[in-house]
Amino acid sequence: MTDTETGDRAETLALIVGSAAFLESLEQLRRARALRGHRPGISRDFWEQVSDLGWLSLRVPNEQGGIGLGIQELCALSERLGACMAPEPVPEAICTAPLLSGTLLEDVMSGSLIVLPAWQERAGDLESKAPTVRLAQGKLIGSKKYVHMAEAAGGFVVTTSNGLQFVRKDAPGLKMLTTPLQDGGHFSELRFDNTPIEPIKGSFETVQEEITLGIAAYLLGVMRRAFAITKDYVTTRKQFDRSIGSFQVIQHRMVDLYIQIQLVSASIQQAAAILESSPSLAAAKQAVSRAKARASDVALLVTRQAVQLHGGIGYTDEADIGLFLRKAMVLMNCYGSATAHRARYLTLVCAARGKL
Protein backbone atom coordinates (compact mmCIF):
# COMPACT_ATOMS: atom_id res chain seq x y z
CA MET A 1 0.00 0.00 0.00
CA THR A 2 1.40 3.41 -1.01
CA ASP A 3 1.70 6.38 1.34
CA THR A 4 -1.23 8.00 -0.46
CA GLU A 5 -3.38 4.90 -0.05
CA THR A 6 -2.41 4.66 3.62
CA GLY A 7 -3.36 8.30 4.14
CA ASP A 8 -6.70 7.82 2.37
CA ARG A 9 -7.42 4.75 4.51
CA ALA A 10 -6.63 6.65 7.70
CA GLU A 11 -8.95 9.47 6.59
CA THR A 12 -11.75 6.99 5.86
CA LEU A 13 -11.34 5.35 9.27
CA ALA A 14 -11.43 8.77 10.90
CA LEU A 15 -14.68 9.57 9.08
CA ILE A 16 -16.25 6.30 10.27
CA VAL A 17 -15.18 6.97 13.84
CA GLY A 18 -16.46 10.53 13.56
CA SER A 19 -19.87 9.40 12.30
CA ALA A 20 -20.15 7.18 15.38
CA ALA A 21 -19.21 9.90 17.87
CA PHE A 22 -22.79 10.16 19.14
CA LEU A 23 -22.50 6.61 20.49
CA GLU A 24 -20.18 7.86 23.24
CA SER A 25 -22.94 9.73 25.08
CA LEU A 26 -24.41 8.50 28.34
CA GLU A 27 -27.81 8.64 26.65
CA GLN A 28 -26.78 5.63 24.56
CA LEU A 29 -26.04 3.61 27.70
CA ARG A 30 -29.45 4.55 29.08
CA ARG A 31 -31.00 3.48 25.78
CA ALA A 32 -29.33 0.06 25.97
CA ARG A 33 -30.52 -0.36 29.56
CA ALA A 34 -34.10 0.54 28.63
CA LEU A 35 -34.24 -1.98 25.76
CA ARG A 36 -32.98 -5.02 27.64
CA GLY A 37 -35.51 -7.73 28.26
CA HIS A 38 -37.94 -6.35 25.67
CA ARG A 39 -38.84 -7.86 22.32
CA PRO A 40 -37.64 -7.41 19.65
CA GLY A 41 -34.96 -5.67 21.71
CA ILE A 42 -33.95 -2.93 19.27
CA SER A 43 -34.94 0.63 18.47
CA ARG A 44 -36.33 1.25 14.99
CA ASP A 45 -35.37 4.92 15.31
CA PHE A 46 -31.77 3.88 15.95
CA TRP A 47 -31.86 1.49 13.00
CA GLU A 48 -33.10 4.29 10.73
CA GLN A 49 -30.23 6.43 11.98
CA VAL A 50 -27.80 3.61 11.20
CA SER A 51 -29.25 3.45 7.68
CA ASP A 52 -29.09 7.22 7.19
CA LEU A 53 -25.40 7.16 8.14
CA GLY A 54 -24.77 4.58 5.43
CA TRP A 55 -23.49 1.93 7.81
CA LEU A 56 -25.73 -0.81 6.41
CA SER A 57 -24.10 -0.41 2.99
CA LEU A 58 -20.56 -0.34 4.43
CA ARG A 59 -19.51 -3.68 2.86
CA VAL A 60 -21.72 -3.50 -0.23
CA PRO A 61 -19.65 -2.84 -3.40
CA ASN A 62 -19.91 0.55 -5.10
CA GLU A 63 -21.39 -0.97 -8.25
CA GLN A 64 -24.32 -2.25 -6.17
CA GLY A 65 -24.98 1.13 -4.61
CA GLY A 66 -22.95 0.59 -1.45
CA ILE A 67 -19.95 2.32 0.10
CA GLY A 68 -17.56 -0.58 -0.52
CA LEU A 69 -15.37 -0.16 2.56
CA GLY A 70 -13.23 -2.83 4.19
CA ILE A 71 -12.91 -4.93 7.32
CA GLN A 72 -10.91 -2.31 9.21
CA GLU A 73 -13.81 0.13 8.90
CA LEU A 74 -16.22 -2.58 10.02
CA CYS A 75 -14.10 -3.25 13.12
CA ALA A 76 -13.77 0.46 13.93
CA LEU A 77 -17.54 0.85 13.80
CA SER A 78 -18.21 -2.37 15.75
CA GLU A 79 -15.88 -1.21 18.51
CA ARG A 80 -17.89 2.01 18.93
CA LEU A 81 -21.13 0.03 19.02
CA GLY A 82 -19.67 -2.17 21.75
CA ALA A 83 -18.66 0.83 23.82
CA CYS A 84 -22.33 1.81 24.19
CA MET A 85 -23.58 -1.81 24.25
CA ALA A 86 -25.92 -1.17 21.33
CA PRO A 87 -28.28 -4.18 21.26
CA GLU A 88 -28.93 -3.88 17.53
CA PRO A 89 -27.22 -6.61 15.43
CA VAL A 90 -25.44 -4.09 13.22
CA PRO A 91 -22.23 -6.04 12.43
CA GLU A 92 -24.25 -9.11 11.39
CA ALA A 93 -26.53 -7.04 9.15
CA ILE A 94 -23.62 -5.15 7.56
CA CYS A 95 -21.73 -8.32 6.63
CA THR A 96 -24.81 -10.19 5.39
CA ALA A 97 -25.98 -7.39 3.09
CA PRO A 98 -23.46 -8.09 0.23
CA LEU A 99 -25.00 -11.56 -0.20
CA LEU A 100 -28.27 -9.96 -1.28
CA SER A 101 -29.27 -8.26 -4.50
CA GLY A 102 -32.12 -6.42 -6.15
CA THR A 103 -35.06 -5.31 -4.02
CA LEU A 104 -33.84 -7.25 -0.99
CA LEU A 105 -30.55 -5.36 -0.95
CA GLU A 106 -32.28 -2.02 -1.50
CA ASP A 107 -34.63 -2.70 1.42
CA VAL A 108 -31.69 -3.66 3.67
CA MET A 109 -29.64 -0.56 2.82
CA SER A 110 -32.69 1.68 3.32
CA GLY A 111 -33.22 0.21 6.79
CA SER A 112 -36.74 -1.04 6.05
CA LEU A 113 -35.66 -4.70 6.22
CA ILE A 114 -33.30 -6.35 8.70
CA VAL A 115 -31.69 -9.55 7.39
CA LEU A 116 -29.61 -11.76 9.69
CA PRO A 117 -27.70 -14.99 9.06
CA ALA A 118 -28.87 -18.38 10.33
CA TRP A 119 -26.01 -20.86 10.04
CA GLN A 120 -25.32 -22.68 13.30
CA GLU A 121 -26.88 -26.05 14.07
CA ARG A 122 -24.88 -27.31 17.05
CA ALA A 123 -23.26 -25.68 20.08
CA GLY A 124 -19.54 -25.16 19.55
CA ASP A 125 -19.79 -25.77 15.81
CA LEU A 126 -17.87 -23.23 13.73
CA GLU A 127 -18.37 -24.80 10.31
CA SER A 128 -21.18 -23.82 7.98
CA LYS A 129 -20.07 -25.89 4.97
CA ALA A 130 -22.08 -29.08 5.62
CA PRO A 131 -25.46 -28.04 7.05
CA THR A 132 -28.23 -30.58 7.58
CA VAL A 133 -30.94 -28.08 6.65
CA ARG A 134 -32.02 -29.03 3.14
CA LEU A 135 -34.54 -28.45 0.39
CA ALA A 136 -37.32 -30.98 -0.20
CA GLN A 137 -39.42 -30.30 -3.27
CA GLY A 138 -38.33 -26.69 -3.23
CA LYS A 139 -39.23 -26.10 0.43
CA LEU A 140 -36.92 -25.84 3.46
CA ILE A 141 -36.65 -28.59 6.09
CA GLY A 142 -34.60 -28.56 9.32
CA SER A 143 -33.57 -26.09 12.03
CA LYS A 144 -30.97 -23.46 12.87
CA LYS A 145 -29.97 -22.46 16.39
CA TYR A 146 -28.48 -19.48 18.22
CA VAL A 147 -29.66 -16.78 15.79
CA HIS A 148 -28.76 -13.62 17.68
CA MET A 149 -31.58 -11.04 18.03
CA ALA A 150 -33.68 -12.99 15.52
CA GLU A 151 -36.97 -11.39 16.55
CA ALA A 152 -35.69 -8.05 15.26
CA ALA A 153 -35.18 -9.46 11.76
CA GLY A 154 -37.54 -9.42 8.83
CA GLY A 155 -35.75 -12.26 7.09
CA PHE A 156 -32.81 -14.64 7.27
CA VAL A 157 -29.98 -15.84 5.05
CA VAL A 158 -29.96 -19.58 5.77
CA THR A 159 -27.09 -21.95 4.99
CA THR A 160 -28.37 -25.21 3.53
CA SER A 161 -27.00 -28.29 1.77
CA ASN A 162 -28.44 -26.72 -1.39
CA GLY A 163 -26.69 -23.37 -1.02
CA LEU A 164 -27.81 -20.12 0.56
CA GLN A 165 -31.54 -19.41 0.83
CA PHE A 166 -33.44 -16.32 1.91
CA VAL A 167 -36.40 -16.95 4.21
CA ARG A 168 -38.84 -14.28 5.27
CA LYS A 169 -39.75 -14.12 8.93
CA ASP A 170 -43.47 -14.39 8.17
CA ALA A 171 -43.03 -17.31 5.76
CA PRO A 172 -45.40 -20.25 6.35
CA GLY A 173 -43.78 -23.21 8.07
CA LEU A 174 -41.25 -21.10 10.00
CA LYS A 175 -41.42 -21.38 13.78
CA MET A 176 -39.21 -19.41 16.16
CA LEU A 177 -38.33 -20.58 19.66
CA THR A 178 -36.71 -17.74 21.60
CA THR A 179 -34.45 -17.90 24.67
CA PRO A 180 -33.70 -14.76 26.74
CA LEU A 181 -30.05 -13.98 27.49
CA GLN A 182 -28.16 -12.42 30.37
CA ASP A 183 -27.65 -9.10 28.64
CA GLY A 184 -31.36 -8.66 27.96
CA GLY A 185 -31.14 -9.82 24.35
CA HIS A 186 -32.11 -13.20 22.96
CA PHE A 187 -31.18 -16.16 20.78
CA SER A 188 -33.75 -17.96 18.64
CA GLU A 189 -34.02 -21.39 17.12
CA LEU A 190 -35.56 -21.36 13.65
CA ARG A 191 -37.52 -24.47 12.68
CA PHE A 192 -38.38 -24.92 9.02
CA ASP A 193 -41.27 -27.16 8.00
CA ASN A 194 -41.72 -26.96 4.22
CA THR A 195 -40.89 -23.27 4.35
CA PRO A 196 -40.79 -21.27 1.08
CA ILE A 197 -37.40 -19.87 0.09
CA GLU A 198 -35.71 -17.47 -2.32
CA PRO A 199 -32.33 -18.77 -3.61
CA ILE A 200 -29.24 -16.59 -3.02
CA LYS A 201 -25.94 -16.75 -4.85
CA GLY A 202 -22.63 -16.64 -3.00
CA SER A 203 -20.84 -18.28 -0.10
CA PHE A 204 -21.22 -17.65 3.61
CA GLU A 205 -17.70 -18.75 4.60
CA THR A 206 -15.97 -15.38 4.29
CA VAL A 207 -19.02 -13.54 5.61
CA GLN A 208 -18.92 -15.72 8.72
CA GLU A 209 -15.31 -14.71 9.37
CA GLU A 210 -16.14 -11.03 8.89
CA ILE A 211 -19.00 -11.20 11.38
CA THR A 212 -16.85 -13.12 13.88
CA LEU A 213 -14.18 -10.43 13.73
CA GLY A 214 -16.88 -7.77 14.01
CA ILE A 215 -18.10 -9.42 17.22
CA ALA A 216 -14.51 -9.48 18.52
CA ALA A 217 -14.23 -5.74 17.81
CA TYR A 218 -17.56 -5.17 19.55
CA LEU A 219 -16.13 -6.96 22.61
CA LEU A 220 -13.09 -4.67 22.39
CA GLY A 221 -15.42 -1.70 22.66
CA VAL A 222 -17.14 -3.28 25.66
CA MET A 223 -13.87 -3.80 27.52
CA ARG A 224 -12.48 -0.38 26.63
CA ARG A 225 -15.58 1.40 27.95
CA ALA A 226 -15.71 -0.77 31.09
CA PHE A 227 -12.04 0.01 31.70
CA ALA A 228 -12.59 3.77 31.22
CA ILE A 229 -15.56 3.80 33.61
CA THR A 230 -13.55 1.87 36.19
CA LYS A 231 -10.55 4.17 35.81
CA ASP A 232 -12.75 7.18 36.53
CA TYR A 233 -14.28 5.40 39.52
CA VAL A 234 -11.00 4.42 41.20
CA THR A 235 -9.72 7.96 40.65
CA THR A 236 -12.65 9.56 42.49
CA ARG A 237 -13.56 6.86 45.08
CA LYS A 238 -11.77 7.66 48.33
CA GLN A 239 -10.70 5.46 51.19
CA PHE A 240 -8.54 6.60 54.13
CA ASP A 241 -8.67 10.10 52.61
CA ARG A 242 -7.00 8.88 49.41
CA SER A 243 -8.39 7.84 46.06
CA ILE A 244 -8.23 4.07 45.79
CA GLY A 245 -6.59 4.53 42.42
CA SER A 246 -3.48 5.78 44.22
CA PHE A 247 -2.98 2.40 45.89
CA GLN A 248 -0.23 0.45 44.17
CA VAL A 249 -2.17 -2.81 44.09
CA ILE A 250 -5.02 -1.09 42.20
CA GLN A 251 -2.57 0.57 39.81
CA HIS A 252 -0.97 -2.78 39.01
CA ARG A 253 -4.34 -4.38 38.27
CA MET A 254 -5.36 -1.51 36.02
CA VAL A 255 -2.07 -1.62 34.10
CA ASP A 256 -2.41 -5.38 33.60
CA LEU A 257 -5.92 -4.91 32.22
CA TYR A 258 -4.78 -2.10 29.93
CA ILE A 259 -2.03 -4.28 28.47
CA GLN A 260 -4.49 -7.09 27.78
CA ILE A 261 -6.86 -4.69 26.03
CA GLN A 262 -4.05 -3.40 23.81
CA LEU A 263 -3.11 -6.96 22.86
CA VAL A 264 -6.71 -7.61 21.82
CA SER A 265 -6.69 -4.44 19.71
CA ALA A 266 -3.47 -5.48 17.96
CA SER A 267 -4.83 -8.97 17.32
CA ILE A 268 -8.01 -7.59 15.74
CA GLN A 269 -6.08 -5.14 13.56
CA GLN A 270 -3.84 -7.93 12.32
CA ALA A 271 -6.79 -10.21 11.60
CA ALA A 272 -8.58 -7.42 9.69
CA ALA A 273 -5.51 -6.84 7.52
CA ILE A 274 -5.14 -10.56 6.78
CA LEU A 275 -8.85 -11.02 6.07
CA GLU A 276 -8.73 -8.14 3.58
CA SER A 277 -5.50 -9.04 1.80
CA SER A 278 -4.77 -12.76 2.14
CA PRO A 279 -5.88 -15.01 -0.74
CA SER A 280 -5.92 -17.93 1.70
CA LEU A 281 -9.16 -18.42 3.60
CA ALA A 282 -7.35 -20.82 5.96
CA ALA A 283 -4.88 -18.07 6.92
CA ALA A 284 -7.76 -15.66 7.48
CA LYS A 285 -9.54 -18.19 9.68
CA GLN A 286 -6.41 -18.62 11.79
CA ALA A 287 -6.13 -14.87 12.33
CA VAL A 288 -9.83 -14.48 13.12
CA SER A 289 -9.76 -17.37 15.60
CA ARG A 290 -6.75 -15.84 17.37
CA ALA A 291 -8.54 -12.51 17.66
CA LYS A 292 -11.91 -13.91 18.75
CA ALA A 293 -10.42 -16.27 21.35
CA ARG A 294 -8.36 -13.47 22.90
CA ALA A 295 -11.25 -10.98 22.77
CA SER A 296 -13.61 -13.44 24.49
CA ASP A 297 -11.16 -14.18 27.30
CA VAL A 298 -10.09 -10.59 27.91
CA ALA A 299 -13.63 -9.16 27.73
CA LEU A 300 -14.65 -11.47 30.57
CA LEU A 301 -11.47 -10.70 32.51
CA VAL A 302 -11.79 -6.91 32.20
CA THR A 303 -15.51 -6.70 32.95
CA ARG A 304 -15.26 -9.03 35.97
CA GLN A 305 -12.33 -7.04 37.35
CA ALA A 306 -14.23 -3.82 36.67
CA VAL A 307 -17.19 -5.02 38.76
CA GLN A 308 -14.87 -6.09 41.58
CA LEU A 309 -13.00 -2.78 41.57
CA HIS A 310 -16.32 -0.97 41.97
CA GLY A 311 -16.89 -2.85 45.22
CA GLY A 312 -20.40 -3.64 46.43
CA ILE A 313 -22.06 -1.05 44.19
CA GLY A 314 -20.69 -2.88 41.14
CA TYR A 315 -22.87 -5.90 41.88
CA THR A 316 -26.12 -3.93 41.94
CA ASP A 317 -28.39 -3.75 38.91
CA GLU A 318 -28.40 0.04 39.10
CA ALA A 319 -24.67 0.21 38.31
CA ASP A 320 -23.95 0.33 34.57
CA ILE A 321 -20.69 -1.55 35.00
CA GLY A 322 -22.60 -4.78 35.62
CA LEU A 323 -24.26 -4.46 32.22
CA PHE A 324 -20.85 -4.64 30.55
CA LEU A 325 -20.13 -7.93 32.31
CA ARG A 326 -23.48 -9.34 31.16
CA LYS A 327 -22.79 -8.26 27.58
CA ALA A 328 -19.35 -9.87 27.64
CA MET A 329 -20.79 -13.12 29.05
CA VAL A 330 -23.17 -13.38 26.09
CA LEU A 331 -20.98 -12.27 23.19
CA MET A 332 -17.88 -14.16 24.31
CA ASN A 333 -19.62 -17.30 23.00
CA CYS A 334 -21.43 -15.71 20.05
CA TYR A 335 -19.92 -16.93 16.75
CA GLY A 336 -17.67 -19.30 18.64
CA SER A 337 -16.31 -19.51 22.17
CA ALA A 338 -12.63 -19.09 23.01
CA THR A 339 -12.35 -22.87 23.35
CA ALA A 340 -13.93 -23.51 19.95
CA HIS A 341 -11.70 -20.98 18.23
CA ARG A 342 -8.54 -22.33 19.85
CA ALA A 343 -9.49 -25.80 18.66
CA ARG A 344 -10.07 -24.50 15.12
CA TYR A 345 -6.80 -22.58 15.17
CA LEU A 346 -4.87 -25.68 16.23
CA THR A 347 -6.53 -27.76 13.50
CA LEU A 348 -5.70 -25.17 10.84
CA VAL A 349 -2.08 -24.78 11.96
CA CYS A 350 -1.53 -28.53 12.03
CA ALA A 351 -3.10 -28.90 8.59
CA ALA A 352 -0.88 -26.15 7.19
CA ARG A 353 2.19 -27.93 8.53
CA GLY A 354 1.11 -31.25 7.11
CA LYS A 355 0.52 -32.88 10.47
CA LEU A 356 -3.10 -33.80 9.80
Side-chain angles (χ1 to χ4, degrees):
M1 184 177 289
T2 66
D3 290 342
T4 301
E5 290 173 332
T6 301
D8 290 343
R9 191 63 181 275
E11 184 178 349
T12 300
L13 284 168
L15 289 172
I16 290 293
V17 172
S19 71
F22 73 96
L23 297 175
E24 299 175 4
S25 68
L26 290 176
E27 180 60 34
Q28 289 298 319
L29 287 181
R30 288 192 285 268
R31 189 184 71 86
R33 175 183 284 277
L35 285 170
R36 62 180 184 149
H38 296 283
R39 305 282 177 79
I42 72 164
S43 164
R44 291 300 313 189
D45 289 341
F46 182 86
W47 199 263
E48 289 179 8
Q49 189 173 10
V50 166
S51 172
D52 291 342
L53 288 167
W55 293 352
L56 297 175
S57 59
L58 190 85
R59 295 286 295 135
V60 178
N62 298 117
E63 56 269 23
Q64 290 182 268
I67 302 177
L69 297 180
I71 310 301
Q72 294 182 48
E73 287 80 10
L74 168 70
C75 290
L77 178 58
S78 296
E79 182 180 340
R80 271 67 194 178
L81 291 164
C84 72
M85 295 185 295
E88 289 79 10
V90 179
E92 297 98 310
I94 288 174
C95 297
T96 304
L99 294 171
L100 306 173
S101 61
T103 303
L104 282 179
L105 178 58
E106 293 174 3
D107 290 344
V108 165
M109 291 193 296
S110 70
S112 62
L113 177 66
I114 300 176
V115 176
L116 300 178
W119 62 277
Q120 197 168 10
E121 298 182 4
R122 294 169 295 275
D125 185 14
L126 297 180
E127 295 300 326
S128 60
K129 291 188 296 184
T132 62
V133 174
R134 68 191 190 283
L135 291 182
Q137 297 180 343
K139 300 293 181 66
L140 206 57
I141 301 291
S143 66
K144 294 290 184 181
K145 297 182 178 180
Y146 316 117
V147 183
H148 188 222
M149 302 302 288
E151 293 201 11
F156 306 94
V157 171
V158 184
T159 58
T160 79
S161 57
N162 306 92
L164 296 180
Q165 312 293 336
F166 176 73
V167 177
R168 297 187 182 274
K169 184 180 179 180
D170 58 359
L174 172 57
K175 183 178 181 181
M176 295 178 57
L177 303 177
T178 299
T179 301
L181 299 173
Q182 287 234 25
D183 65 342
H186 61 271
F187 280 158
S188 294
E189 177 181 354
L190 308 184
R191 294 183 178 178
F192 308 105
D193 183 9
N194 292 308
T195 306
I197 53 87
E198 299 173 42
I200 296 175
K201 296 180 180 180
S203 170
F204 185 69
E205 272 196 281
T206 302
V207 173
Q208 180 181 335
E209 302 309 315
E210 292 181 8
I211 297 175
T212 302
L213 193 59
I215 298 297
Y218 188 106
L219 284 169
L220 176 61
V222 169
M223 63 183 87
R224 280 199 195 278
R225 187 68 176 273
F227 179 86
I229 291 173
T230 304
K231 182 181 177 182
D232 289 342
Y233 180 80
V234 299
T235 301
T236 56
R237 173 75 166 87
K238 290 189 175 182
Q239 194 174 59
F240 308 117
D241 294 325
R242 294 172 56 191
S243 68
I244 61 175
S246 66
F247 300 151
Q248 194 173 59
V249 64
I250 301 296
Q251 292 176 355
H252 286 175
R253 289 175 71 179
M254 294 295 289
V255 169
D256 287 343
L257 295 178
Y258 178 79
I259 291 172
Q260 290 300 319
I261 292 171
Q262 293 303 102
L263 289 173
V264 172
S265 178
S267 182
I268 290 173
Q269 290 177 24
Q270 181 187 47
I274 292 174
L275 192 53
E276 283 185 345
S277 62
S278 176
S280 169
L281 183 58
K285 286 183 175 182
Q286 288 183 37
V288 170
S289 281
R290 282 198 305 267
K292 181 56 165 63
R294 184 180 289 276
S296 294
D297 283 344
V298 177
L300 185 61
L301 171 68
V302 171
T303 53
R304 287 180 65 180
Q305 291 284 316
V307 169
Q308 291 177 6
L309 287 167
H310 274 75
I313 189 65
Y315 291 88
T316 65
D317 188 67
E318 290 78 8
D320 285 341
I321 198 64
L323 302 183
F324 287 88
L325 173 58
R326 291 175 180 270
K327 182 65 73 174
M329 291 173 69
V330 169
L331 291 187
M332 64 182 288
N333 295 316
C334 191
Y335 279 80
S337 65
T339 300
H341 277 287
R342 286 195 183 93
R344 187 177 78 161
Y345 176 80
L346 179 61
T347 300
L348 290 168
V349 169
C350 290
R353 296 177 179 177
K355 294 183 178 181
L356 286 180

